[in-house]
Amino acid sequence: MAGSDLYLRQMEIGPMANYVYLLGPAGSPETAVVDPAWDIDAILDAAAADDRKIVAVLVTHWHPDHTNGIAALVERTDATVHANREELPWLPFKGENLKAVRAGEELVLGGLPVQFLHTPGHTPGSQCFLVRDRLVSGDTLFINACGRTDLPGGDPAKLYESLSGSLGRLDDRTILLPGHNYADLSSTTLGEQKLHNPFLRATSLEQFLGMVGAPR
């Protein structure tokens, strides 16, 4: 899966159907891994097979099924770990390789910008990554579903704001790449989700709170 100047590889890894992503510029080996977990050998083997050099880790949120491989990957690659500053108190990884980021910042990989979108709600520091016309959404937005808000740090009102605001304003042609394989498709467009995903179709906070079973 790639555009003319974009390298992007989606891999399903682990017992919870996690998607791990490799992404970077097509014309340079610099590569970021999104949410390395479960099987670091498989991630490193995939990067090596594509002649990619892992230089960065991008963290969508702190939950262990998305972060349990960070320490091992950093030990083997010396990659810099980029996590939203609101997520740091929860993140199990600490150390010199950890960099706190804010909403709207970018990581440039070989000339390819990766934009950090702060999308709280599933966790306080949940973030998505916008790369050209691709959105890697972690557990904020799934295909025809959204992230849970009943886990530690979850906030349904903030998730509604993230979905209806930050993500709802993105171009309909943006390709959605979720954090888990929970659907028949591995990707879709935001336009399709705006039409069919009930959580993106909610027109008020009260309606959304009722849909996720939160107090109103």
Side-chain angles (χ1 to χ4, degrees):
M1 185 188 311
S4 60
D5 65 343
L6 174 65
Y7 163 82
L8 195 152
R9 180 165 178 166
Q10 180 189 60
M11 298 175 288
E12 183 181 341
I13 298 179
M16 299 178 69
N18 287 78
Y19 279 135
V20 175
Y21 295 91
L22 300 176
L23 60 89
S28 170
E30 292 186 11
T31 302
V33 183
V34 180
D35 289 354
W38 301 112
D39 191 341
I40 297 307
D41 284 338
I43 296 171
L44 292 171
D45 288 347
D50 291 344
D51 294 322
R52 309 298 302 186
K53 179 182 180 182
I54 295 173
V55 299
V57 170
L58 307 182
V59 179
T60 63
H61 64 293
W62 69 269
H63 288 160
D65 60 310
H66 293 261
T67 60
N68 62 42
I70 292 178
L73 186 69
V74 169
E75 183 178 358
R76 296 173 67 175
T77 64
D78 199 33
T80 301
V81 179
H82 302 261
N84 185 274
R85 63 190 182 94
E86 300 294 333
E87 205 75 348
L88 298 190
W90 309 78
L91 191 67
F93 178 81
K94 312 294 181 184
E96 294 180 356
N97 288 55
L98 180 59
K99 179 178 180 181
V101 302
R102 299 174 182 266
E105 289 187 12
E106 288 185 344
L107 169 66
V108 179
L109 293 168
L112 178 73
V114 180
Q115 185 177 355
F116 301 114
L117 305 180
H118 185 205
T119 53
H122 182 58
T123 66
S126 282
Q127 60 181 349
C128 301
F129 307 109
L130 185 63
V131 191
R132 295 289 191 258
D133 61 348
R134 268 79 167 177
L135 179 75
V136 182
S137 61
D139 284 8
T140 296
L141 179 63
F142 299 123
I143 297 174
N144 299 325
C146 69
R148 294 173 59 177
T149 59
D150 59 339
L151 299 172
D155 187 321
K158 288 186 177 180
L159 183 58
Y160 173 72
E161 293 174 3
S162 294
L163 295 178
S164 62
S166 298
L167 301 190
R169 289 193 292 265
L170 296 178
D171 192 293
D172 287 357
R173 294 169 293 184
T174 304
I175 297 172
L176 174 66
L177 299 164
H180 288 271
N181 183 8
Y182 287 165
D184 294 333
L185 301 171
S186 60
S187 65
T188 186
T189 65
L190 280 183
E192 286 293 317
Q193 288 304 289
K194 291 174 186 178
L195 289 174
H196 302 296
N197 188 325
F199 300 97
L200 275 182
R201 289 174 56 85
T203 57
S204 69
L205 174 58
E206 183 177 15
Q207 180 186 14
F208 183 81
L209 293 178
M211 294 170 66
V212 299
R216 289 178 282 179

